Coordinates of all heavy atoms in Angstrom, one line a residue:
V185 N 3.0 -7.0 8.0 CA 4.2 -7.8 8.0 C 5.2 -7.3 7.1 O 6.4 -7.2 7.5 CB 3.8 -9.3 7.5 CG1 5.0 -10.1 7.4 CG2 2.8 -10.0 8.6
G186 N 4.9 -7.0 5.9 CA 5.8 -6.4 4.9 C 6.8 -5.3 5.5 O 8.0 -5.5 5.2
P187 N 6.3 -4.2 6.0 CA 7.2 -3.3 6.5 C 8.0 -3.6 7.7 O 9.0 -2.9 7.9 CB 6.2 -2.1 6.9 CG 4.9 -2.3 6.3 CD 4.9 -3.9 6.1
Q188 N 7.8 -4.7 8.3 CA 8.6 -5.1 9.4 C 9.8 -6.0 9.0 O 10.6 -6.4 9.8 CB 7.7 -6.0 10.4 CG 6.7 -5.1 11.1 CD 5.8 -5.8 12.0 OE1 6.2 -6.2 13.1 NE2 4.6 -6.1 11.5
R189 N 9.8 -6.4 7.7 CA 10.9 -7.2 7.3 C 12.1 -6.4 7.1 O 12.1 -5.4 6.4 CB 10.5 -7.8 5.9 CG 9.4 -8.8 5.8 CD 9.1 -9.2 4.4 NE 10.2 -9.8 3.7 CZ 10.4 -11.0 3.4 NH1 9.6 -11.9 3.9 NH2 11.5 -11.3 2.7
G190 N 13.2 -6.8 7.8 CA 14.5 -6.0 7.7 C 15.6 -6.8 7.0 O 16.2 -6.1 6.2
A191 N 15.7 -8.0 7.1 CA 16.8 -8.7 6.5 C 16.7 -8.7 5.0 O 17.7 -8.5 4.3 CB 16.9 -10.1 7.1
E192 N 15.5 -9.0 4.5 CA 15.4 -9.1 3.0 C 14.1 -8.2 2.7 O 13.0 -8.7 2.6 CB 15.0 -10.6 2.6 CG 16.3 -11.3 2.4 CD 15.9 -12.7 1.8 OE1 15.2 -12.7 0.7 OE2 16.4 -13.7 2.4
P193 N 14.4 -6.9 2.5 CA 13.2 -6.1 2.1 C 12.6 -6.4 0.8 O 13.2 -7.1 -0.1 CB 13.8 -4.7 2.0 CG 15.2 -4.7 2.6 CD 15.6 -6.2 2.5
L194 N 11.2 -6.3 0.7 CA 10.5 -6.5 -0.5 C 10.8 -5.5 -1.6 O 11.2 -4.4 -1.3 CB 9.1 -6.6 -0.2 CG 8.7 -7.7 0.9 CD1 7.2 -7.4 1.4 CD2 9.0 -9.0 0.4
A195 N 10.4 -5.8 -2.8 CA 10.5 -4.7 -3.9 C 9.4 -3.7 -3.7 O 9.6 -2.5 -4.1 CB 10.4 -5.5 -5.3
G196 N 8.3 -4.1 -3.2 CA 7.2 -3.2 -2.9 C 6.0 -3.9 -2.3 O 6.0 -5.1 -2.1
I197 N 5.1 -3.1 -1.8 CA 4.0 -3.7 -1.0 C 2.7 -3.0 -1.5 O 2.6 -1.8 -1.7 CB 4.1 -3.4 0.4 CG1 5.4 -3.9 1.1 CG2 2.9 -3.9 1.2 CD1 5.6 -3.6 2.5
V198 N 1.7 -3.9 -2.0 CA 0.5 -3.4 -2.4 C -0.6 -3.8 -1.5 O -0.7 -5.0 -1.0 CB 0.1 -4.1 -3.9 CG1 -1.3 -3.9 -4.3 CG2 1.1 -3.7 -4.9
S199 N -1.4 -2.9 -1.2 CA -2.7 -3.1 -0.3 C -3.8 -2.6 -1.1 O -4.0 -1.4 -1.4 CB -2.4 -2.2 1.0 OG -3.8 -2.4 1.7
M200 N -4.7 -3.6 -1.4 CA -5.9 -3.3 -2.1 C -7.0 -3.5 -1.0 O -7.2 -4.6 -0.5 CB -6.1 -4.3 -3.3 CG -5.0 -4.1 -4.3 SD -5.1 -5.4 -5.6 CE -6.7 -4.9 -6.5
S201 N -7.8 -2.4 -0.7 CA -8.9 -2.4 0.2 C -8.3 -3.0 1.5 O -8.9 -3.8 2.2 CB -10.1 -3.4 -0.3 OG -10.6 -2.8 -1.4
G202 N -7.1 -2.6 1.9 CA -6.6 -3.0 3.2 C -6.2 -2.0 4.1 O -6.4 -0.7 3.8
Y203 N -5.7 -2.3 5.2 CA -5.2 -1.3 6.3 C -4.1 -2.0 7.1 O -3.8 -3.1 6.9 CB -6.4 -0.8 7.1 CG -7.0 -1.9 8.0 CD1 -6.7 -1.8 9.4 CD2 -7.7 -3.0 7.6 CE1 -7.3 -2.8 10.2 CE2 -8.2 -3.9 8.3 CZ -8.0 -3.9 9.7 OH -8.5 -4.8 10.6
L204 N -3.6 -1.3 8.1 CA -2.6 -1.8 9.0 C -3.2 -1.9 10.3 O -3.5 -0.9 11.1 CB -1.4 -0.8 9.1 CG -0.6 -0.6 7.9 CD1 0.5 0.5 8.1 CD2 0.0 -1.8 7.4
P205 N -3.5 -3.2 10.8 CA -4.1 -3.4 12.1 C -3.0 -3.1 13.1 O -1.8 -3.2 12.9 CB -4.5 -4.8 12.1 CG -3.7 -5.4 11.0 CD -3.3 -4.4 10.0
A206 N -3.4 -2.8 14.3 CA -2.4 -2.5 15.4 C -1.4 -1.4 15.1 O -0.2 -1.6 15.5 CB -1.8 -3.8 15.9
R207 N -1.8 -0.4 14.4 CA -1.0 0.7 14.1 C -0.4 1.3 15.4 O -1.1 1.4 16.4 CB -1.7 1.9 13.4 CG -2.2 1.7 12.1 CD -2.9 3.0 11.7 NE -3.7 3.7 12.4 CZ -5.0 3.4 12.7 NH1 -5.5 2.3 12.1 NH2 -5.8 4.1 13.4
G208 N 0.9 1.6 15.4 CA 1.6 2.1 16.6 C 2.2 1.0 17.5 O 2.8 1.3 18.4
R209 N 1.8 -0.2 17.3 CA 2.3 -1.3 18.3 C 3.4 -2.1 17.5 O 3.8 -3.1 18.0 CB 1.2 -2.2 18.6 CG 0.3 -1.5 19.5 CD -0.7 -2.5 20.1 NE -2.0 -2.4 19.5 CZ -3.0 -3.3 19.6 NH1 -2.9 -4.3 20.3 NH2 -4.0 -3.0 18.9
W210 N 4.0 -1.5 16.3 CA 5.0 -2.3 15.7 C 5.9 -1.1 15.0 O 5.4 0.0 14.9 CB 4.5 -3.2 14.6 CG 3.5 -2.7 13.7 CD1 2.1 -2.7 13.9 CD2 3.7 -2.0 12.5 NE1 1.4 -2.1 12.8 CE2 2.4 -1.7 12.0 CE3 4.8 -1.7 11.8 CZ2 2.2 -1.0 10.9 CZ3 4.7 -1.0 10.6 CH2 3.3 -0.7 10.1
Q211 N 7.0 -1.5 14.6 CA 8.0 -0.5 14.0 C 8.4 -1.0 12.6 O 8.5 -2.2 12.3 CB 9.3 -0.5 14.9 CG 9.1 0.2 16.3 CD 8.7 1.6 16.2 OE1 9.2 2.4 15.4 NE2 7.6 2.0 16.9
V212 N 8.5 -0.1 11.7 CA 9.0 -0.3 10.4 C 10.5 -0.7 10.4 O 11.2 0.0 11.1 CB 8.8 0.8 9.4 CG1 9.4 0.5 8.1 CG2 7.4 1.0 9.3
A213 N 11.0 -1.8 9.9 CA 12.4 -2.1 10.0 C 13.2 -1.1 9.1 O 12.7 -0.7 8.1 CB 12.6 -3.6 9.3
E214 N 14.4 -0.8 9.6 CA 15.2 0.2 8.9 C 15.4 -0.2 7.4 O 15.2 0.7 6.5 CB 16.6 0.3 9.5 CG 17.5 1.4 9.0 CD 16.9 2.7 9.3 OE1 16.2 3.0 10.3 OE2 17.0 3.6 8.4
G215 N 15.6 -1.4 7.0 CA 15.8 -1.8 5.6 C 14.5 -1.6 4.9 O 14.5 -1.7 3.6
S216 N 13.3 -1.6 5.4 CA 12.1 -1.4 4.7 C 11.6 0.0 4.5 O 10.6 0.1 3.8 CB 11.0 -2.3 5.5 OG 11.3 -3.6 5.5
R217 N 12.4 1.0 5.0 CA 11.9 2.4 5.0 C 11.9 2.8 3.4 O 11.2 3.8 3.2 CB 12.7 3.3 5.8 CG 12.5 3.0 7.3 CD 13.2 4.1 8.2 NE 13.2 3.6 9.5 CZ 12.3 3.6 10.4 NH1 11.1 3.9 10.0 NH2 12.5 3.1 11.6
R218 N 12.7 2.2 2.6 CA 12.9 2.6 1.2 C 11.9 1.8 0.3 O 11.8 2.0 -0.9 CB 14.3 2.4 0.7 CG 15.2 3.4 1.5 CD 16.6 3.2 1.0 NE 17.2 1.8 1.1 CZ 17.5 1.2 2.2 NH1 17.5 1.9 3.3 NH2 17.9 0.0 2.1
V219 N 11.1 0.8 0.9 CA 10.2 -0.1 0.1 C 9.0 0.8 -0.3 O 8.3 1.2 0.7 CB 9.9 -1.3 0.9 CG1 8.8 -2.2 0.2 CG2 11.1 -2.1 1.1
P220 N 8.6 0.9 -1.5 CA 7.4 1.5 -1.8 C 6.1 0.8 -1.4 O 6.1 -0.4 -1.6 CB 7.4 1.7 -3.5 CG 8.4 0.7 -3.8 CD 9.3 0.4 -2.6
V221 N 5.2 1.5 -0.8 CA 3.9 1.0 -0.3 C 2.8 1.7 -1.0 O 2.7 2.9 -1.0 CB 3.8 1.1 1.2 CG1 2.4 0.5 1.6 CG2 4.9 0.5 1.9
G222 N 1.9 1.0 -1.7 CA 0.8 1.6 -2.4 C -0.5 1.0 -1.8 O -0.7 -0.2 -1.8
F223 N -1.3 2.0 -1.4 CA -2.7 1.6 -0.9 C -3.7 2.0 -2.0 O -3.6 3.1 -2.6 CB -3.1 2.4 0.3 CG -2.4 2.1 1.6 CD1 -1.1 2.6 1.9 CD2 -2.8 1.1 2.3 CE1 -0.4 2.3 3.0 CE2 -2.2 0.7 3.5 CZ -1.0 1.2 3.9
F224 N -4.5 1.1 -2.4 CA -5.5 1.3 -3.5 C -6.8 0.9 -2.9 O -7.1 -0.3 -2.4 CB -5.2 0.3 -4.7 CG -3.8 0.6 -5.1 CD1 -2.8 0.0 -4.7 CD2 -3.7 1.5 -6.3 CE1 -1.4 0.2 -5.2 CE2 -2.4 1.8 -6.8 CZ -1.3 1.1 -6.2
H225 N -7.9 1.9 -2.9 CA -9.0 1.6 -2.0 C -10.2 2.4 -2.5 O -10.1 3.5 -3.0 CB -8.7 2.3 -0.6 CG -9.4 1.5 0.6 ND1 -8.8 0.6 1.4 CD2 -10.7 1.5 0.9 CE1 -9.6 0.2 2.2 NE2 -10.8 0.7 2.0
G226 N -11.4 1.9 -2.5 CA -12.6 2.4 -2.7 C -13.2 3.3 -1.7 O -13.1 2.9 -0.5
T227 N -13.8 4.4 -2.1 CA -14.3 5.3 -1.2 C -15.6 4.8 -0.5 O -16.0 5.3 0.5 CB -14.6 6.7 -1.7 OG1 -15.5 6.6 -2.8 CG2 -13.3 7.4 -2.3
A228 N -16.2 3.8 -1.1 CA -17.5 3.3 -0.7 C -17.3 1.9 -0.1 O -18.4 1.1 -0.1 CB -18.6 3.3 -1.9
D229 N -16.1 1.5 0.3 CA -15.9 0.3 0.8 C -16.6 0.1 2.2 O -16.4 0.9 3.1 CB -14.4 0.0 1.1 CG -13.9 -1.4 1.4 OD1 -14.7 -2.2 2.0 OD2 -12.8 -1.8 1.0
E230 N -17.5 -0.9 2.3 CA -18.3 -1.0 3.4 C -17.7 -2.1 4.4 O -18.1 -2.2 5.6 CB -19.7 -1.6 3.1 CG -19.8 -2.9 2.4 CD -19.4 -3.0 0.9 OE1 -19.0 -1.9 0.3 OE2 -19.1 -4.1 0.4
V231 N -16.6 -2.8 4.1 CA -15.9 -3.7 4.8 C -14.7 -3.1 5.6 O -14.5 -3.2 6.8 CB -15.5 -4.9 4.1 CG1 -14.8 -6.0 5.0 CG2 -16.7 -5.6 3.4
V232 N -13.8 -2.5 4.8 CA -12.6 -1.8 5.3 C -12.8 -0.3 4.9 O -12.6 -0.1 3.7 CB -11.3 -2.4 4.7 CG1 -10.2 -1.7 5.2 CG2 -11.3 -3.9 5.1
K233 N -13.0 0.5 5.8 CA -13.3 2.0 5.5 C -12.0 2.6 4.9 O -10.9 2.3 5.4 CB -13.6 2.7 6.8 CG -14.9 2.1 7.5 CD -16.0 2.1 6.6 CE -17.2 1.6 7.4 NZ -18.3 1.2 6.5
S234 N -12.3 3.5 3.8 CA -11.1 4.0 3.3 C -10.3 4.9 4.2 O -9.1 5.2 4.0 CB -11.5 4.9 2.0 OG -12.4 5.9 2.5
D235 N -11.0 5.4 5.3 CA -10.3 6.2 6.3 C -9.2 5.4 7.0 O -8.1 5.9 7.4 CB -11.2 6.7 7.3 CG -12.2 7.7 6.9 OD1 -12.0 8.3 5.8 OD2 -13.1 8.2 7.7
W236 N -9.5 4.1 7.1 CA -8.5 3.2 7.8 C -7.2 3.1 6.8 O -6.1 3.1 7.4 CB -9.0 1.8 8.0 CG -10.2 1.8 8.9 CD1 -10.7 2.8 9.6 CD2 -11.0 0.6 9.2 NE1 -11.8 2.4 10.4 CE2 -12.0 1.1 10.0 CE3 -11.0 -0.7 8.8 CZ2 -13.0 0.2 10.6 CZ3 -12.0 -1.6 9.2 CH2 -13.0 -1.1 10.2
A237 N -7.3 3.0 5.6 CA -6.2 3.1 4.6 C -5.5 4.4 4.8 O -4.2 4.4 4.8 CB -6.7 2.8 3.3
E238 N -6.2 5.4 4.9 CA -5.5 6.8 5.0 C -4.8 6.9 6.2 O -3.7 7.5 6.3 CB -6.6 7.9 4.8 CG -7.1 8.0 3.4 CD -8.3 9.0 3.2 OE1 -9.3 8.8 3.9 OE2 -8.0 10.0 2.4
Q239 N -5.4 6.3 7.3 CA -4.6 6.3 8.7 C -3.4 5.5 8.5 O -2.4 5.8 9.2 CB -5.6 5.8 9.8 CG -6.7 6.9 10.0 CD -7.8 6.2 11.0 OE1 -7.7 5.1 11.5 NE2 -8.8 6.9 11.1
A240 N -3.5 4.4 7.8 CA -2.3 3.5 7.6 C -1.2 4.2 6.9 O 0.0 4.1 7.3 CB -2.7 2.2 6.9
L241 N -1.6 4.9 5.8 CA -0.5 5.8 5.2 C 0.1 6.7 6.0 O 1.3 6.9 6.0 CB -1.3 6.5 4.0 CG -0.4 7.5 3.1 CD1 0.5 6.7 2.4 CD2 -1.3 8.3 2.3
L242 N -0.7 7.4 6.8 CA -0.1 8.4 7.8 C 0.8 7.8 8.8 O 1.9 8.3 9.2 CB -1.3 9.2 8.5 CG -2.0 10.1 7.6 CD1 -3.2 10.8 8.4 CD2 -1.1 11.2 7.0
A243 N 0.5 6.5 9.2 CA 1.3 5.8 10.2 C 2.6 5.4 9.6 O 3.7 5.6 10.2 CB 0.5 4.6 10.7
L244 N 2.7 5.0 8.3 CA 3.9 4.7 7.6 C 4.7 5.9 7.4 O 5.9 5.9 7.5 CB 3.6 4.0 6.3 CG 3.0 2.5 6.4 CD1 2.6 2.1 5.1 CD2 4.1 1.7 7.1
Q245 N 4.1 7.0 7.0 CA 4.8 8.3 6.8 C 5.3 8.7 8.1 O 6.5 9.3 8.1 CB 3.9 9.3 6.1 CG 3.5 9.0 4.7 CD 2.6 9.9 4.1 OE1 1.8 10.5 4.8 NE2 2.6 9.9 2.7
A246 N 4.7 8.5 9.2 CA 5.3 8.9 10.6 C 6.6 8.1 10.9 O 7.4 8.6 11.7 CB 4.2 8.8 11.6
Q247 N 6.6 6.9 10.3 CA 7.8 6.2 10.5 C 8.9 6.2 9.4 O 9.6 5.3 9.1 CB 7.5 4.5 10.8 CG 6.7 4.5 12.1 CD 6.6 3.1 12.5 OE1 7.6 2.3 12.4 NE2 5.5 2.6 13.0
D248 N 8.7 7.3 8.7 CA 9.6 7.6 7.5 C 9.7 6.6 6.5 O 10.7 6.4 5.8 CB 11.1 7.8 8.2 CG 11.2 9.0 9.1 OD1 10.6 10.0 8.9 OD2 11.9 8.8 10.1
V249 N 8.6 6.0 6.1 CA 8.5 5.3 4.9 C 8.2 6.2 3.8 O 7.0 6.7 3.6 CB 7.4 4.2 4.9 CG1 7.2 3.4 3.6 CG2 7.7 3.2 6.1
A250 N 9.2 6.7 3.0 CA 9.1 7.8 2.1 C 8.3 7.5 0.8 O 7.6 8.4 0.3 CB 10.5 8.2 1.6
S251 N 8.2 6.2 0.4 CA 7.5 6.0 -0.8 C 6.1 5.4 -0.6 O 5.8 4.4 -1.3 CB 8.4 5.0 -1.7 OG 9.6 5.7 -2.1
S252 N 5.4 5.9 0.3 CA 4.0 5.4 0.5 C 3.0 6.3 -0.1 O 3.2 7.5 -0.1 CB 3.8 5.2 2.0 OG 4.1 6.4 2.6
S253 N 2.0 5.7 -0.7 CA 1.0 6.6 -1.4 C -0.3 5.9 -1.4 O -0.5 4.7 -1.0 CB 1.4 6.7 -2.9 OG 1.4 5.4 -3.6
I254 N -1.4 6.7 -1.7 CA -2.7 6.1 -1.7 C -3.5 6.6 -3.0 O -3.3 7.7 -3.4 CB -3.6 6.5 -0.5 CG1 -4.9 5.6 -0.4 CG2 -3.8 8.0 -0.4 CD1 -5.5 5.7 1.0
K255 N -4.2 5.7 -3.6 CA -5.1 6.0 -4.7 C -6.5 5.6 -4.3 O -6.8 4.5 -4.0 CB -4.7 5.3 -5.8 CG -5.6 5.5 -7.2 CD -5.2 6.8 -8.0 CE -6.2 7.0 -9.0 NZ -5.9 6.5 -10.4
L256 N -7.4 6.6 -4.2 CA -8.9 6.3 -3.9 C -9.7 6.2 -5.2 O -9.5 7.0 -6.0 CB -9.3 7.4 -2.9 CG -8.7 7.4 -1.6 CD1 -9.1 8.6 -0.7 CD2 -8.8 6.1 -0.8
Y257 N -10.7 5.3 -5.1 CA -11.6 5.1 -6.3 C -13.0 5.5 -5.9 O -13.6 4.8 -5.1 CB -11.5 3.7 -6.8 CG -10.1 3.4 -7.3 CD1 -9.2 2.8 -6.4 CD2 -9.6 3.7 -8.5 CE1 -7.8 2.6 -6.6 CE2 -8.3 3.4 -8.8 CZ -7.4 2.9 -7.9 OH -6.1 2.6 -8.3
T258 N -13.5 6.6 -6.3 CA -14.8 7.2 -5.9 C -15.9 6.0 -6.3 O -16.0 5.7 -7.4 CB -15.0 8.5 -6.5 OG1 -13.9 9.4 -6.4 CG2 -16.4 9.1 -6.3
G259 N -16.7 5.8 -5.3 CA -17.8 4.9 -5.4 C -17.6 3.5 -5.4 O -18.4 2.8 -5.4
M260 N -16.3 3.1 -5.4 CA -15.9 1.6 -5.4 C -16.1 1.1 -4.0 O -15.6 1.6 -3.1 CB -14.4 1.3 -5.9 CG -14.2 -0.1 -6.0 SD -12.4 -0.4 -6.7 CE -11.6 -0.4 -5.0
G261 N -16.7 0.0 -3.9 CA -16.9 -0.8 -2.7 C -15.8 -1.6 -2.3 O -14.6 -1.4 -2.8
H262 N -15.9 -2.8 -1.6 CA -14.9 -3.6 -1.3 C -14.7 -4.7 -2.4 O -15.2 -5.8 -2.4 CB -15.2 -4.5 0.0 CG -14.1 -5.1 0.6 ND1 -13.1 -4.6 1.2 CD2 -13.9 -6.5 0.8 CE1 -12.2 -5.5 1.6 NE2 -12.8 -6.7 1.4
S263 N -14.2 -4.2 -3.5 CA -14.1 -5.0 -4.7 C -13.0 -4.4 -5.5 O -12.1 -3.7 -4.9 CB -15.4 -4.8 -5.5 OG -15.6 -3.5 -5.8
A264 N -12.9 -4.6 -6.8 CA -11.8 -4.0 -7.6 C -12.5 -3.6 -8.9 O -13.5 -4.1 -9.4 CB -10.7 -5.2 -8.0
V265 N -11.9 -2.6 -9.6 CA -12.4 -2.1 -10.8 C -11.1 -2.2 -11.8 O -10.0 -2.2 -11.3 CB -13.0 -0.8 -10.8 CG1 -14.2 -0.7 -10.1 CG2 -12.0 0.3 -10.1
Q266 N -11.4 -2.2 -13.1 CA -10.3 -2.2 -14.1 C -9.2 -1.1 -13.8 O -8.1 -1.2 -13.9 CB -10.9 -2.2 -15.5 CG -9.7 -2.5 -16.5 CD -9.2 -3.8 -16.3 OE1 -9.8 -4.9 -16.0 NE2 -7.8 -3.9 -16.5
E267 N -9.7 0.1 -13.5 CA -8.8 1.2 -13.3 C -7.8 0.9 -12.1 O -6.7 1.1 -12.2 CB -9.5 2.5 -12.9 CG -8.7 3.7 -12.6 CD -9.4 4.9 -12.3 OE1 -10.6 4.9 -12.1 OE2 -8.7 6.0 -12.0
E268 N -8.3 0.4 -11.1 CA -7.5 -0.1 -9.9 C -6.4 -1.2 -10.4 O -5.3 -1.1 -10.1 CB -8.4 -0.6 -8.8 CG -7.5 -1.0 -7.5 CD -8.3 -1.7 -6.6 OE1 -9.3 -2.3 -6.8 OE2 -7.9 -1.5 -5.3
I269 N -6.9 -2.1 -11.1 CA -6.0 -3.2 -11.6 C -4.8 -2.7 -12.4 O -3.7 -3.0 -12.2 CB -6.7 -4.3 -12.3 CG1 -7.9 -4.9 -11.5 CG2 -5.8 -5.4 -13.0 CD1 -7.4 -5.6 -10.2
A270 N -5.3 -1.7 -13.4 CA -4.2 -1.0 -14.1 C -3.2 -0.2 -13.3 O -2.0 -0.2 -13.5 CB -4.8 -0.2 -15.1
D271 N -3.7 0.4 -12.2 CA -2.9 1.3 -11.4 C -2.0 0.3 -10.5 O -0.8 0.6 -10.3 CB -3.7 2.1 -10.4 CG -4.4 3.2 -11.2 OD1 -4.0 3.6 -12.2 OD2 -5.4 3.8 -10.5
V272 N -2.5 -0.8 -10.1 CA -1.6 -1.7 -9.3 C -0.6 -2.3 -10.2 O 0.5 -2.5 -9.8 CB -2.6 -2.8 -8.7 CG1 -1.7 -4.0 -8.1 CG2 -3.4 -2.2 -7.6
A273 N -0.9 -2.7 -11.4 CA 0.1 -3.2 -12.4 C 1.2 -2.2 -12.6 O 2.4 -2.5 -12.6 CB -0.6 -3.6 -13.8
A274 N 0.8 -0.8 -12.8 CA 1.7 0.2 -13.0 C 2.8 0.2 -11.7 O 3.9 0.5 -11.9 CB 1.1 1.5 -13.4
F275 N 2.1 0.3 -10.6 CA 2.8 0.4 -9.3 C 3.9 -0.8 -9.2 O 5.0 -0.6 -8.9 CB 1.9 0.3 -8.2 CG 2.5 0.4 -6.8 CD1 2.8 1.6 -6.1 CD2 3.0 -0.7 -6.1 CE1 3.5 1.7 -5.0 CE2 3.6 -0.7 -4.9 CZ 3.9 0.5 -4.3
I276 N 3.5 -2.0 -9.6 CA 4.3 -3.1 -9.5 C 5.4 -3.1 -10.5 O 6.7 -3.3 -10.2 CB 3.5 -4.4 -9.7 CG1 2.6 -4.7 -8.5 CG2 4.5 -5.6 -9.9 CD1 1.6 -5.9 -8.7
R277 N 5.1 -2.6 -11.8 CA 6.2 -2.4 -12.7 C 7.2 -1.4 -12.3 O 8.4 -1.6 -12.3 CB 5.6 -2.0 -14.1 CG 5.0 -3.1 -14.8 CD 4.7 -2.7 -16.2 NE 3.6 -1.7 -16.4 CZ 2.4 -1.8 -16.4 NH1 1.9 -3.0 -16.4 NH2 1.6 -0.7 -16.5
H278 N 6.7 -0.3 -11.7 CA 7.6 0.7 -11.2 C 8.5 0.1 -10.0 O 9.7 0.5 -10.0 CB 6.9 2.0 -10.7 CG 7.6 3.1 -10.2 ND1 8.5 3.8 -11.1 CD2 7.9 3.5 -8.9 CE1 9.1 4.7 -10.3 NE2 8.7 4.5 -9.1
A279 N 7.8 -0.5 -9.1 CA 8.6 -1.1 -8.0 C 9.7 -2.1 -8.4 O 10.8 -2.1 -7.9 CB 7.6 -1.8 -7.0
L280 N 9.3 -2.8 -9.4 CA 10.3 -3.9 -9.8 C 11.5 -3.3 -10.7 O 12.6 -3.8 -10.6 CB 9.7 -4.9 -10.7 CG 8.8 -5.8 -10.0 CD1 8.0 -6.8 -10.9 CD2 9.5 -6.6 -8.9
G281 N 11.2 -2.2 -11.4 CA 12.2 -1.4 -12.1 C 12.6 -2.2 -13.4 O 12.2 -3.3 -13.7
P282 N 13.4 -1.5 -14.2 CA 13.7 -2.0 -15.6 C 14.5 -3.2 -15.6 O 14.4 -4.1 -16.5 CB 14.7 -0.9 -16.2 CG 14.7 0.1 -15.2 CD 14.0 -0.2 -13.9
A283 N 15.3 -3.5 -14.5 CA 16.1 -4.8 -14.5 C 15.2 -6.0 -14.4 O 15.6 -7.1 -14.8 CB 17.1 -4.8 -13.3
A284 N 13.9 -5.8 -13.8 CA 13.1 -7.0 -13.6 C 11.9 -7.0 -14.6 O 10.9 -7.6 -14.4 CB 12.5 -7.0 -12.2
G285 N 12.1 -6.1 -15.8 CA 11.0 -6.1 -16.7 C 10.0 -5.0 -16.4 O 9.0 -4.9 -17.0
G286 N 10.3 -4.1 -15.4 CA 9.4 -3.0 -15.2 C 9.5 -1.9 -16.1 O 10.0 -2.0 -17.2
A287 N 9.1 -0.8 -15.7 CA 9.1 0.4 -16.6 C 8.6 0.3 -18.0 O 9.2 0.4 -19.0 CB 10.6 1.0 -16.7
G288 N 7.3 -0.1 -17.9 CA 6.6 -0.3 -19.2 C 6.4 -1.7 -19.7 O 5.7 -2.0 -20.6
A289 N 7.0 -2.7 -19.1 CA 6.8 -4.0 -19.4 C 5.5 -4.5 -18.9 O 4.9 -4.0 -18.0 CB 7.9 -4.9 -18.7
S290 N 4.9 -5.5 -19.7 CA 3.7 -6.0 -19.2 C 3.8 -7.2 -18.2 O 5.0 -7.7 -18.1 CB 2.9 -6.6 -20.5 OG 3.7 -7.6 -21.0
L291 N 2.9 -7.4 -17.4 CA 3.0 -8.4 -16.4 C 2.8 -9.8 -16.8 O 2.0 -10.1 -17.7 CB 2.1 -8.1 -15.2 CG 2.4 -6.8 -14.4 CD1 1.3 -6.5 -13.4 CD2 3.7 -6.9 -13.9

């Protein structure tokens, strides 16, 4: 849903152990191409395979979403670890920027 928002783009999109269903059957809205998208995923996820997140990243990059990235956590299943939480917090601070308390501010 997030990448399809055109009128009011989001500051950023976080996907923790997620993927993009129905890849190829939707288009990224022009105004959302600059929205940073971060995938955070465990390599041992038994519910949502990490390959699916990697495929989602490639699908976004194919639609010119320039600020998309993925961070994989070796051995992590369909859960969260402190390192991932810290990385997500840093991603959010960066996406919000200094005007919204980002760039080093705590959440």
Side-chain angles (χ1 to χ4, degrees):
V185 173
Q188 297 178 74
R189 291 176 55 104
E192 277 188 51
L194 302 169
I197 299 169
V198 172
S199 174
M200 296 173 70
S201 297
Y203 70 108
L204 295 175
R207 292 185 314 281
R209 287 190 259 167
W210 50 268
Q211 295 293 314
V212 173
E214 188 62 38
S216 292
R217 294 188 195 284
R218 296 177 307 279
V219 175
V221 179
F223 289 91
F224 302 86
H225 212 105
T227 59
D229 191 329
E230 64 285 350
V231 177
V232 179
K233 306 296 180 201
S234 60
D235 289 351
W236 299 352
E238 292 176 297
Q239 292 168 8
L241 174 71
L242 293 174
L244 289 175
Q245 290 173 339
Q247 291 197 42
D248 297 322
V249 177
S251 297
S252 50
S253 61
I254 191 167
K255 174 89 186 262
L256 298 174
Y257 302 89
T258 304
M260 186 180 89
H262 194 70
S263 60
V265 295
Q266 190 58 44
E267 179 186 2
E268 180 187 29
I269 301 301
D271 291 340
V272 168
F275 179 89
I276 291 170
R277 281 192 299 272
H278 180 72
L280 292 176
S290 59
L291 295 178

